[in-house]
Amino acid sequence: MDMDSASSVVLQALTQATSQDTSELKPAEEQLRQWETQPGFYSVLLNIFNNHMLDVNVRWLAVLYFKNGIDRYWRRVAPHALSEEEKTSLRAGLITNFNEPVNQIATQIAVLIAKVARLDCPRQWPELIPILIESVKGQDGLQQHRALLTFYHVTKTLASKRLAQDRRLFQDLASGIYSFACSLWSHHTDTFFQQIYARDETAALGSLERTLLSLKVLRKLTVFGFQEPQQNMEVMGFLNAVFERLKQFLECCRQVGPDSTCREKLEKMIILYTKTLLDFLEYHPCAFIPLIQRSLEFAVSYLFTPAGEGVTFERFIVQCMNLIKMIVKNESYKPSKNIEDSKPESLEAHKIKTAFFTHPTLTEIGRRLVSHYFLLTEEELAMWEEDPESFAVEESGGDSWKYSLRPCAEVLFLDIFHNYNQTLIPVLLEMVQNLQGPTNVEDTVQLLMKDAVYNAVGLAAYELFDNVDFDQWFKNQLLGELQVSHHRYKLIRRRVIWLIGQWISVKFKSDLRPLLYEVILSLMQDPDLVVRIETATTLKLNILPQFLPYLESIFGLLFQLLQQVTQCDTKMQVLHVISCVIERVNIQIRPYVGCLVQYLPLLWKQSEEHNMLRCAILTTLIHLVQGLGAECKNLYPFLLPVIQLSTDVSQPPHVYLLEDGLELWLVTLENSPVITPELLRIFQNMAALMELSTENLRTCFQIIIAYLYLSATDFLQNYAESLCRAFCDLLKDITNEGQSQVLKVVEIALKVNPILGAHMFQPLLPAVFRGILDGERYPVVMSVYLGIMGRVLLQNSSFFSSLLTQMASDRSQKMDELFGSVIEMWVDRMDNITQPERRKLSSLALLSLLPSDNSVIQDKFCGIINISVEALHDVMTEDPETGTFKDCMLMSNFEEPKLSDDEEPPTEQDKRKKLLALEDPVHSVSLQQFVYEKLKAQQAMMGDQGFAVLMETVDTELVRQLQEFLQGF
């Protein structure tokens, strides 16, 4: 690009690209995209964003294009990579001055320089760090800040590199600049305190910003810049100084008050100090050992003594709690069970912890956690009144303990309780003892305290197993608490039903369940919504056979609750409970689901914008269909469009709904009594699903198999051709396991309809034939190959003959020779087949070739008998009373099996499989009789003498075993 003419053209394009008018915007964006690979383009951009006279929006866009260009074209190996000459010029231009007046652009330029540094520093850009340090030392306030901002982003980026060589380079850098970074941080910190106490808030704010940036640099250098930081006096000196500085900043926070302009940045500063300690503990637990004592003293004094009053704020409390938790839980600080095997550092850390966590200290921490941090706050109580649903489903799982006070306090309590339960169990039991009996509804303090203590007992249920007789407590105390109906007592009703939920899986006698269901029935009608939601959640954990007498009433109340709640998250929670109930009671739900079935279509329509709620509806439908069985056909008008939408990859919601949608499709097919045109039509979605080749492929195959069992003729006539094409494409690029999955579908098609199946999947069969001839090495695939070929040979012999003719022609071989090779390979690889059904099928298939005067078949007669005797060993069982053998695979008539309470009733598909098995030769033909009849026929064809000669080719031991099996014929 010619720089002078190019500048004005690029400037014009950037100006148009900031326009709100799409007729200007789109062509400008396209033009800029084309210039991205032009030499000189980034030099023009650099000049534009360095020109402070130009429009801010244009300069901002120039920086963004430059930044994207680094990602795409800076690396040497990138297509259209920038030339080394241009990169040298750009690097020099980026650090000529640090005087960008606009904060947002200054940040983007700092990020951009850091991106280049990640690729080029220090080798191609050794001057970067020295220039930054020189600029940071300057007296000009703006220049100093911008250089420090860049210094931070460069340090942060270089610290994030993880290759060993890059880490060594960063460590070299850190050791070279650490002293400077410490003095910089110390200087700006002192300057800030002088200015803030001189009441010069404007200057103090600028200094505080520089202090923050210098500490961010120091944090990265400290955590990632040293392999053994404990060996470095400066690093350990800085970390020890952190505690003093933290105290100074906390005191400063208290003095300036909540309305100071510095307040927000002061809190950020305090949090950054705690992050430095937490990071150092995470990455260097052994180096942190000398800091354990001070860390615990610091955190405990601010959290659990009057020292923290009026000083602490929520995020700081969370960080201090996490610091204690990480020290308590850290595996490096725990000695081995066998003390001799422990590392000296572990013993040292354990000793410090043991000395610190004395009985009085632990007692105070335990008491304060429960009586102070577990108490519901005014904000939470207000939320309960004003927005009960948000209160009831407040997020407390996952990583919320890292950022939110309540989950953080609960996790710390659990960790300390687990590690020091001998000390803390009596403390908690005493707190429970002090709260025996009903609490005065007018005494809000005591109500809140009881809620907090019961919360602790619920959280520590597993630890308290041997110390609390929960059944007695439930009968003698908790039941009474649940019957206090005063509206203020809702705190305790909600907490007690939650508490029972926590203990159910730990210690709760089954003969108390009916009493509990009575309680749940009552609380599901509680006037308070939070209590009703909590009760439903407890029910989810507690559905046993004794629940059935209460099913109708409680299910009706759950449905009412689902209608009453309005928020997406709450509906999901209640739907989850409903799903659990349906799943546990199965077909016994049928009389009670009418209202739910009518309501779900409305809820589906209302949740168009809420895909996660739709996922919950899909899960409920899955359990509902399984519970309804064949009656699910009445849901088709709603069910089938839902499946259609959820599994259509051209519809955006499929990203969220696909997995559950496929599961619903499968259970619908498994439970459907008949095929309908609409159910058949949904299969049009399958072609695109199979192209995705994702983890859902297995479910897709199960769906295809379900269609085959439901209505093979209709299904194959409509879809076999496209399915066969999809299978051919899949088999070209799929694992051995995947191949066997695809071919099992073909095998089932042949089993369900041998004539139509063979005709429809004809294009796939030559590959199967070749696989057998070539001796496929993967046993599972070979087993399926032989299963497919066995079906064709046994149940569609004319098709087998035409396939043999085609293969002989393709391979320019004689038919008999080819057939001989197939039988030989079949006999040789029989051991690859492990399923008794397939082994019997192979035997039946090869025996079906008899009687024969074909010399090839007679030549392989010994192998056929060998396979038959092996199969007889597999399927024949001896009757101990009569001493005779019978084929254990024979099935006579179709009987509904007697089910135990734990067993699920058979699906419609299970029934279809059973009926199909009655017609399957594997289950309807006696192998013993078939062998006898075929040998008799062969004898009749050849005459006694000829047959005797043929039998001489068979091993005498095999003949003896065969005669044993054929006794009585």
Side-chain angles (χ1 to χ4, degrees):
M1 270 186 164
D2 171 33
M3 293 293 282
D4 294 332
S5 59
S7 287
S8 56
V9 180
V10 173
L11 184 58
Q12 187 185 0
L14 285 167
T15 307
Q16 289 170 340
T18 60
S19 166
Q20 301 298 311
D21 182 352
T22 51
S23 63
E24 280 191 18
L25 176 81
K26 293 292 177 194
E29 284 181 339
E30 180 56 31
Q31 181 62 73
L32 288 163
R33 197 178 60 74
Q34 288 173 11
W35 283 336
E36 279 180 3
T37 54
Q38 292 288 317
F41 176 58
Y42 295 97
S43 301
V44 174
L45 290 177
L46 177 66
N47 289 340
I48 289 171
F49 69 68
N50 273 342
N51 185 345
H52 305 162
M53 308 298 290
L54 297 174
D55 178 68
V56 169
N57 292 323
V58 171
R59 294 173 58 229
W60 170 261
L61 202 55
V63 173
L64 292 187
Y65 270 97
F66 195 112
K67 198 169 75 170
N68 293 338
I70 295 169
D71 291 334
R72 290 178 193 152
Y73 309 115
W74 198 274
R75 284 184 172 84
R76 277 192 208 134
V77 292
H80 310 293
L82 289 163
S83 69
E84 289 304 316
E85 294 77 23
E86 187 172 3
K87 288 199 307 195
T88 304
S89 160
L90 292 171
R91 283 194 293 260
L94 284 169
I95 52 174
T96 46
N97 49 38
F98 295 100
N99 58 356
E100 172 55 54
V102 181
N103 281 333
Q104 292 91 328
I105 294 178
T107 302
Q108 288 302 322
I109 292 173
V111 170
L112 180 157
I113 291 170
K115 279 178 177 286
V116 176
R118 184 180 181 86
L119 300 169
D120 290 358
C121 187
R123 289 195 179 86
Q124 286 85 29
W125 207 3
E127 66 274 22
L128 172 63
I129 301 294
I131 286 176
L132 284 173
I133 289 174
E134 205 50 48
S135 303
V136 165
K137 289 177 182 173
Q139 294 307 304
D140 181 295
L142 179 67
Q143 184 179 348
Q144 194 184 57
H145 177 272
R146 299 313 191 219
L148 193 48
L149 180 68
T150 309
F151 191 26
Y152 160 59
H153 280 285
V154 168
T155 312
K156 178 184 174 184
T157 304
L158 295 178
S160 69
K161 296 178 82 173
R162 286 287 165 265
L163 291 177
Q165 188 181 4
D166 292 327
R167 287 165 78 166
R168 276 197 299 275
L169 284 171
F170 186 69
Q171 285 162 9
D172 291 344
L173 170 71
S175 59
I177 64 172
Y178 198 80
S179 295
F180 170 72
C182 280
S183 60
L184 192 67
W185 159 74
S186 199
H187 163 71
H188 286 307
T189 308
D190 291 340
T191 307
F192 162 72
F193 282 126
Q194 286 163 13
Q195 290 165 338
I196 195 76
Y197 289 129
R199 303 268 184 262
D200 187 352
E201 285 214 359
T202 310
L205 195 58
S207 291
L208 187 55
E209 174 66 27
R210 290 179 187 81
T211 309
L212 200 57
L213 286 170
S214 55
L215 180 58
K216 283 181 174 181
V217 170
L218 208 43
R219 174 187 168 205
K220 294 296 176 188
L221 294 175
T222 303
V223 175
F224 300 107
F226 300 90
Q227 205 160 4
E228 293 188 336
Q230 67 270 36
Q231 308 290 340
N232 188 302
M233 301 257 306
E234 277 189 305
V235 172
M236 298 314 285
F238 160 68
L239 288 165
N240 275 298
V242 163
F243 297 103
E244 289 311 313
R245 289 301 196 187
L246 260 172
K247 285 176 185 171
Q248 289 176 331
F249 276 104
L250 284 161
E251 181 56 30
C252 179
C253 232
R254 191 172 65 79
Q255 289 197 17
V256 300
D259 302 324
S260 165
T261 51
C262 295
R263 178 74 189 204
E264 188 185 340
K265 280 218 162 40
L266 273 171
E267 290 191 1
K268 273 189 179 174
M269 193 78 202
I270 291 163
I271 295 307
L272 190 58
Y273 276 116
T274 59
K275 278 183 179 174
T276 306
L277 291 172
L278 283 164
D279 285 354
F280 193 75
L281 170 54
E282 183 181 349
Y283 288 99
H284 303 285
C286 291
F288 194 87
I289 291 171
L291 303 167
I292 291 176
Q293 180 77 20
R294 286 196 77 177
S295 299
L296 290 172
E297 284 170 357
F298 175 85
V300 168
S301 73
Y302 277 103
L303 296 186
F304 303 112
T305 73
E309 286 172 18
V311 180
T312 56
F313 52 95
E314 185 171 317
R315 191 72 209 284
F316 172 69
I317 295 169
V318 168
Q319 293 289 90
C320 286
M321 285 185 174
N322 286 335
L323 189 59
I324 299 170
K325 170 191 152 53
M326 280 178 71
I327 292 171
V328 167
K329 272 193 84 172
N330 202 304
E331 289 302 318
S332 305
Y333 300 162
K334 293 178 182 173
S336 305
K337 284 184 179 162
N338 187 357
I339 296 292
E340 290 80 46
D341 299 337
S342 302
K343 293 179 179 172
E345 306 91 78
S346 300
L347 292 171
E348 172 68 13
H350 182 66
K351 188 176 160 191
I352 297 167
K353 279 163 57 181
T354 308
F356 179 81
F357 286 115
T358 59
H359 192 285
T361 303
L362 283 168
T363 304
E364 187 57 25
I365 290 174
R367 280 217 177 94
R368 289 273 294 177
L369 272 171
V370 176
S371 63
H372 183 70
Y373 292 106
F374 278 20
L375 293 180
L376 288 170
T377 62
E378 284 181 20
E379 291 82 3
E380 286 169 321
L381 292 170
M383 189 182 186
W384 185 327
E385 297 300 332
E386 293 157 21
D387 188 1
E389 290 185 42
S390 295
F391 177 86
V393 295
E394 201 170 4
E395 193 58 53
S396 60
D399 277 352
S400 57
W401 58 270
K402 288 182 182 174
Y403 317 105
S404 302
L405 182 53
R406 177 167 297 284
C408 182
E410 290 178 350
V411 167
L412 176 62
F413 171 79
L414 271 175
D415 286 332
I416 289 188
F417 207 91
H418 177 71
N419 282 279
Y420 301 101
N421 53 17
Q422 296 300 309
T423 305
L424 289 172
I425 286 172
V427 175
L428 186 54
L429 292 179
E430 186 193 336
M431 293 178 90
V432 173
Q433 195 60 42
N434 292 340
L435 292 164
Q436 284 296 346
T439 304
N440 183 351
V441 293
E442 303 299 329
D443 190 344
T444 309
V445 173
Q446 280 298 90
L447 286 174
L448 288 171
M449 183 60 75
K450 183 174 271 191
D451 174 79
V453 171
Y454 283 5
N455 184 16
V457 175
L459 291 171
Y462 284 97
E463 304 292 337
L464 293 168
F465 180 86
D466 294 323
N467 303 87
V468 172
D469 184 344
F470 192 79
D471 297 332
Q472 284 301 315
W473 195 33
F474 172 70
K475 285 188 291 189
N476 299 341
Q477 164 97 11
L478 300 180
L479 263 179
E481 307 246 37
L482 290 171
Q483 283 152 10
V484 180
S485 58
H486 194 283
H487 75 276
R488 283 193 190 153
Y489 220 75
K490 64 187 179 185
L491 282 178
I492 307 303
R493 293 198 299 276
R494 173 245 180 185
R495 180 56 73 191
V496 168
I497 198 66
W498 170 87
L499 173 64
I500 293 166
Q502 297 300 106
W503 274 84
I504 278 169
S505 58
V506 180
K507 197 179 195 181
F508 196 76
K509 277 196 187 133
S510 62
D511 57 4
L512 290 175
R513 302 272 172 170
L515 201 51
L516 176 56
Y517 294 134
E518 294 283 355
V519 166
I520 287 173
L521 186 57
S522 165
L523 290 181
M524 285 294 294
Q525 300 166 74
D526 195 277
D528 186 79
L529 181 58
V530 173
V531 174
R532 296 201 297 278
I533 293 169
E534 197 64 69
T535 306
T537 309
T538 293
L539 172 66
K540 177 181 72 180
L541 309 163
N542 189 38
I543 306 160
L544 291 172
Q546 295 121 301
F547 174 65
L548 290 174
Y550 304 90
L551 175 60
E552 181 177 3
S553 314
I554 291 181
F555 194 79
L557 292 166
L558 275 173
F559 175 62
Q560 276 180 30
L561 182 61
L562 180 63
Q563 288 177 298
Q564 287 159 358
V565 296
T566 56
Q567 291 181 16
C568 192
D569 286 347
T570 329
K571 283 192 182 289
M572 283 166 61
Q573 190 162 322
V574 178
L575 270 174
H576 184 48
V577 178
I578 288 173
S579 293
C580 289
V581 171
I582 297 171
E583 185 181 15
R584 293 302 298 271
V585 304
N586 206 291
I587 59 173
Q588 281 145 319
I589 199 65
R590 290 177 187 177
Y592 315 120
V593 293
C595 294
L596 180 66
V597 166
Q598 287 174 350
Y599 176 64
L600 284 177
L602 174 65
L603 185 58
W604 181 264
K605 198 163 188 296
Q606 289 170 345
S607 61
E608 200 164 345
E609 302 299 314
H610 304 286
N611 287 311
M612 297 316 288
L613 177 53
R614 285 195 156 184
C615 286
I617 296 171
L618 287 172
T619 305
T620 306
L621 284 170
I622 289 166
H623 296 306
L624 197 53
V625 167
Q626 288 168 326
L628 289 172
E631 290 176 26
C632 73
K633 67 180 185 297
N634 302 327
L635 293 185
Y636 280 5
F638 167 51
L639 205 53
L640 301 190
V642 165
I643 296 170
Q644 164 70 41
L645 174 75
S646 307
T647 59
D648 182 350
V649 297
S650 67
Q651 299 285 341
H654 89 271
V655 175
Y656 302 94
L657 308 179
L658 182 58
E659 195 171 333
D660 293 318
L662 286 170
E663 189 66 30
L664 178 59
W665 191 358
L666 178 60
V667 298
T668 301
L669 289 167
E670 287 174 344
N671 288 280
S672 289
V674 288
I675 194 81
T676 67
E678 294 78 15
L679 191 52
L680 200 55
R681 203 174 301 126
I682 298 176
F683 194 78
Q684 290 168 359
N685 284 357
M686 186 58 76
L689 287 166
M690 288 180 66
E691 281 174 23
L692 286 177
S693 297
T694 61
E695 64 279 2
N696 294 314
L697 211 48
R698 192 181 290 271
T699 313
C700 291
F701 291 149
Q702 289 175 308
I703 287 167
I704 296 165
I705 290 167
Y707 272 109
L708 286 167
Y709 281 125
L710 182 58
S711 181
T713 308
D714 290 334
F715 177 66
L716 289 171
Q717 283 171 346
N718 278 280
Y719 295 110
E721 198 177 319
S722 60
L723 200 56
C724 192
R725 276 198 306 275
F727 280 2
C728 286
D729 289 342
L730 267 176
L731 288 168
K732 287 174 195 164
D733 180 28
I734 200 167
T735 62
N736 289 324
E737 177 59 30
Q739 274 189 39
S740 70
Q741 294 293 326
V742 172
L743 293 167
K744 274 177 193 168
V745 178
V746 178
E747 187 181 19
I748 288 168
L750 291 166
K751 181 178 174 180
V752 174
N753 194 325
I755 309 300
L756 189 58
H759 175 68
M760 290 298 187
F761 287 106
Q762 184 175 2
L764 277 171
L765 296 177
V768 173
F769 207 105
R770 277 193 299 277
I772 295 171
L773 280 172
D774 299 342
E776 164 63 48
R777 286 204 310 275
Y778 190 61
V780 176
V781 175
M782 187 61 155
S783 173
V784 189
Y785 280 166
L786 294 173
I788 289 171
M789 211 44 69
R791 287 276 166 205
V792 177
L793 176 56
L794 180 62
Q795 292 179 274
N796 196 347
S797 56
S798 60
F799 186 89
F800 183 83
S801 300
S802 62
L803 180 63
L804 191 60
T805 309
Q806 179 195 336
M807 293 303 297
S809 164
D810 290 350
R811 294 169 79 98
S812 307
Q813 257 181 295
K814 288 182 183 170
M815 244 175 74
D816 281 356
E817 189 186 320
L818 189 67
F819 193 27
S821 301
V822 169
I823 297 173
E824 195 170 317
M825 188 58 76
W826 205 323
V827 172
D828 185 53
R829 301 300 287 277
M830 181 72 172
D831 285 346
N832 285 171
I833 306 175
T834 53
Q835 302 88 337
E837 290 89 348
R838 280 210 193 114
R839 289 176 71 81
K840 180 175 176 181
L841 176 68
S842 281
S843 176
L844 292 171
L846 289 173
L847 283 165
S848 72
L849 297 168
L850 304 178
S852 174
D853 55 3
N854 183 309
S855 60
V856 173
I857 292 173
Q858 290 187 6
D859 188 40
K860 305 297 178 193
F861 180 77
C862 169
I864 294 171
I865 296 301
N866 192 353
I867 279 184
S868 302
V869 172
E870 276 191 36
L872 283 165
H873 277 292
D874 292 329
V875 303
M876 302 302 283
T877 53
E878 189 175 3
D879 186 331
E881 289 178 16
T882 61
T884 56
F885 288 95
K886 62 176 183 189
D887 188 332
C888 67
M889 285 199 179
L890 288 180
M891 291 167 66
S892 48
N893 56 340
F894 182 62
E895 285 180 15
E896 286 279 357
K898 296 271 188 296
L899 296 175
S900 70
D901 288 342
D902 295 337
E903 287 182 300
E904 291 186 2
T907 63
E908 294 299 301
Q909 180 160 303
D910 294 331
K911 295 173 190 173
R912 287 191 281 271
K913 283 182 179 177
K914 192 85 183 280
L915 287 169
L916 180 67
L918 293 175
E919 298 170 15
D920 185 349
V922 172
H923 297 291
S924 60
V925 173
S926 161
L927 181 59
Q928 185 185 26
Q929 192 169 346
F930 197 66
V931 171
Y932 174 75
E933 286 170 1
K934 288 297 181 180
L935 291 178
K936 264 297 186 205
Q938 188 69 31
Q939 187 177 20
M941 175 186 279
M942 297 182 74
D944 290 353
Q945 193 176 352
F947 184 67
V949 172
L950 189 63
M951 285 301 288
E952 280 173 11
T953 63
V954 182
D955 180 79
T956 51
E957 177 56 25
L958 273 181
V959 173
R960 188 193 64 72
Q961 291 175 23
L962 184 63
Q963 286 168 339
E964 201 175 314
F965 280 122
L966 298 183
Q967 274 173 6
F969 278 96

